[in-house]
Amino acid sequence: MPAPLSICMVSDDFLPAMTGVGTHLKLIAPELARRGHSVSVITTRRPGEAEVEQWEGVTIYRVFTLKAYGFYQALPSKGTIRAIFGRIKPDLVHHHYVGFMMRQVCSVAESLRLPQVSTFHFSAEVLTQPLPMRPLRPLIRRMMVNFNNRFQLVISPSQNLTHQITGEGVRTPVHFITNPVVFGDSASVVPAERSDAFTVLYAGRLGPEKNIGYLLKAFAALQKKVPGTVLWVAGRGPEGPALESLCTQLGITDRVKFLGFLDHPTLARYYAACDVFVLPSLMETQGLVVMEAMWFGRPVIVTRAIVSADELVEQGVNGYIVDPDSVEDLTQRLTALAGDPALRATLGDASRHRAQAYHPEPVVDALESDYRTVIAKFGRG
């Protein structure tokens, strides 16, 4: 039996999870701990949170944090990181977020000759969505490439993204490992209350990169063809007020329900209750929420702008890939699904079947294997 490892995860988002990165960590960190590894997460500290806490076998270290552009940014000193490393004695450091903390941790890890891995959860375009950050996009992109070239392995949650990463100049080996989905038995989830009307669901951050206005416009056009349909929007973010204003302009306020942020158990009930899930994003690596909706046997619609669109969706088999520049394209797909329950059932069954590939066990198996390979090669280097 291989010896257990001491693994240090680094992420500005973790618990409570506000992004797909935090959700990802909430799935893999406890699973690694259950397998006997010592798992620590260095993350942000928000008001009222303890500096150190235990959660499902995972030790959480929270460091000095400021909030900027709606996001919590960890700003630890190198001394703080070195002190944490002195306590946990990591065999490997795994970065999940790009920012000041990654820079600090990377410097300390290199000085201690610790192997480092990163997961490429999002692009420079996503990181620089706030208007004041956009002029920094080329600089952030170069920074991401440079940091990934200092690590021993880059993990990509999308097969298509692996080619994009290397094309941008990453020379470090890149390995594809899908994100996991963990909801237990989807059949045991009690669906959220709903009417008999055709119901569309979106879940995720209410940010400009999510392109939710495009969905609202398509839904407004759907209303004219199939009156009485319902749209649920789950999540929160800086675009919230503007999106509600757009609903007023489109005359769909009474048919769109903004649900706010939903924890995982509550979100599961909405996946189980909706008729179709739509992710209209312009920037996305894998789209964890799409995978979750598939787990619940729902047809899914994504835009072709999503890097992993054709990995998630087989056109006409478990859903549809639409043109993000064509509101009519999305409207037509929604209209067809609204009028055909049998089609929804067929596509949903295919989604459920494809989602079996997202079970956490093989995902964590692959992660463990990569960790041990990196540690072994680093030790020989």
Side-chain angles (χ1 to χ4, degrees):
M1 190 77 177
L5 302 174
S6 176
I7 303 160
C8 179
M9 308 275 192
V10 184
S11 173
D12 286 72
D13 185 42
F14 177 49
L15 189 72
M18 303 302 293
T19 68
V21 177
T23 300
H24 172 90
L25 272 180
K26 282 181 63 178
L27 300 180
I28 64 168
E31 178 61 26
L32 286 164
R34 281 191 286 272
R35 296 185 181 203
H37 301 293
S38 175
V39 181
S40 305
V41 178
I42 305 177
T43 189
T44 48
R45 186 183 183 193
R46 303 168 196 184
E49 293 177 332
E51 288 188 29
V52 182
E53 64 177 296
Q54 295 289 324
W55 175 77
E56 294 195 15
V58 177
T59 304
I60 304 172
Y61 292 90
R62 299 189 182 276
V63 298
F64 177 72
T65 299
L66 292 178
K67 191 175 185 180
Y69 305 119
F71 291 97
Y72 288 95
Q73 307 287 322
L75 303 173
S77 68
K78 292 181 182 178
T80 296
I81 299 301
R82 193 175 292 272
I84 294 172
F85 281 177
R87 294 177 65 177
I88 65 179
K89 297 178 171 52
D91 296 305
L92 175 140
V93 176
H94 189 163
H95 299 270
H96 289 270
Y97 229 91
V98 178
F100 180 82
M101 180 161 62
M102 183 187 74
R103 181 176 181 177
Q104 297 291 83
V105 171
C106 179
S107 177
V108 175
E110 285 178 339
S111 72
L112 297 174
R113 285 200 46 78
L114 296 172
Q116 301 182 75
V117 172
S118 73
T119 294
F120 204 100
H121 288 289
F122 36 55
S123 65
E125 285 72 18
V126 172
L127 285 172
T128 55
Q129 271 304 300
L131 194 59
M133 292 287 291
R134 291 182 190 177
L136 301 176
R137 188 167 291 174
L139 176 65
I140 298 295
R141 186 180 292 110
R142 287 196 300 273
M143 182 192 78
M144 291 174 69
V145 169
N146 291 339
F147 270 103
N148 280 309
N149 282 333
R150 292 165 67 176
F151 303 147
Q152 281 63 58
L153 178 70
V154 176
I155 295 171
S156 167
S158 160
Q159 290 176 317
N160 292 338
L161 186 62
T162 60
H163 305 297
Q164 180 178 315
I165 292 170
T166 55
E168 290 178 352
V170 174
R171 300 183 302 275
T172 299
V174 181
H175 185 200
F176 161 68
I177 302 179
T178 182
N179 279 316
V181 175
V182 181
F183 271 113
D185 180 13
S186 59
S188 66
V189 174
V190 178
E193 291 186 10
R194 54 162 290 177
S195 68
D196 292 333
F198 177 71
T199 301
V200 182
L201 173 65
Y202 164 83
R205 182 172 176 267
L206 307 187
E209 76 281 3
K210 299 299 184 178
N211 198 28
I212 304 166
Y214 163 79
L215 170 58
L216 294 178
K217 292 173 185 176
F219 180 75
L222 172 67
Q223 281 292 309
K224 295 177 181 178
K225 298 182 178 184
V226 188
T229 54
V230 174
L231 171 61
W232 288 332
V233 178
R236 63 187 178 202
E239 294 288 294
L243 294 172
E244 292 188 30
S245 177
L246 179 58
C247 287
T248 301
Q249 295 173 32
L250 295 171
I252 55 174
T253 301
D254 61 334
R255 308 310 304 171
V256 180
K257 185 173 183 181
F258 287 87
L259 304 172
F261 174 77
L262 302 179
D263 60 25
H264 242 202
T266 306
L267 180 57
R269 299 185 61 217
Y270 283 89
Y271 284 133
C274 73
D275 291 305
V276 60
F277 182 86
V278 179
L279 184 64
S281 294
L282 296 173
M283 302 171 192
E284 202 84 41
T285 51
Q286 192 176 30
L288 184 59
V289 286
V290 177
M291 299 159 64
E292 292 174 346
M294 290 167 61
W295 186 273
F296 283 88
R298 294 295 172 259
V300 291
I301 300 177
V302 302
T303 71
R304 68 184 182 198
I306 296 173
V307 172
S308 58
D310 60 359
E311 299 172 49
L312 294 167
V313 179
E314 185 176 353
Q315 189 80 317
V317 175
N318 70 308
Y320 300 105
I321 301 171
V322 296
D323 181 353
D325 295 318
S326 172
V327 170
E328 183 182 359
D329 192 4
L330 177 55
T331 302
Q332 288 178 345
R333 296 303 188 185
L334 290 173
T335 303
L337 288 170
D340 195 339
L343 175 61
R344 299 199 299 266
T346 299
L347 298 181
D349 286 344
S351 277
R352 184 179 290 107
H353 177 73
R354 291 171 72 93
Q356 299 310 305
Y358 309 140
H359 274 282
E361 289 78 11
V363 172
V364 178
D365 286 346
L367 200 55
E368 280 185 301
S369 176
D370 277 352
Y371 286 164
R372 294 191 185 280
T373 298
V374 165
I375 291 168
K377 287 184 177 180
F378 191 80
R380 293 197 297 266

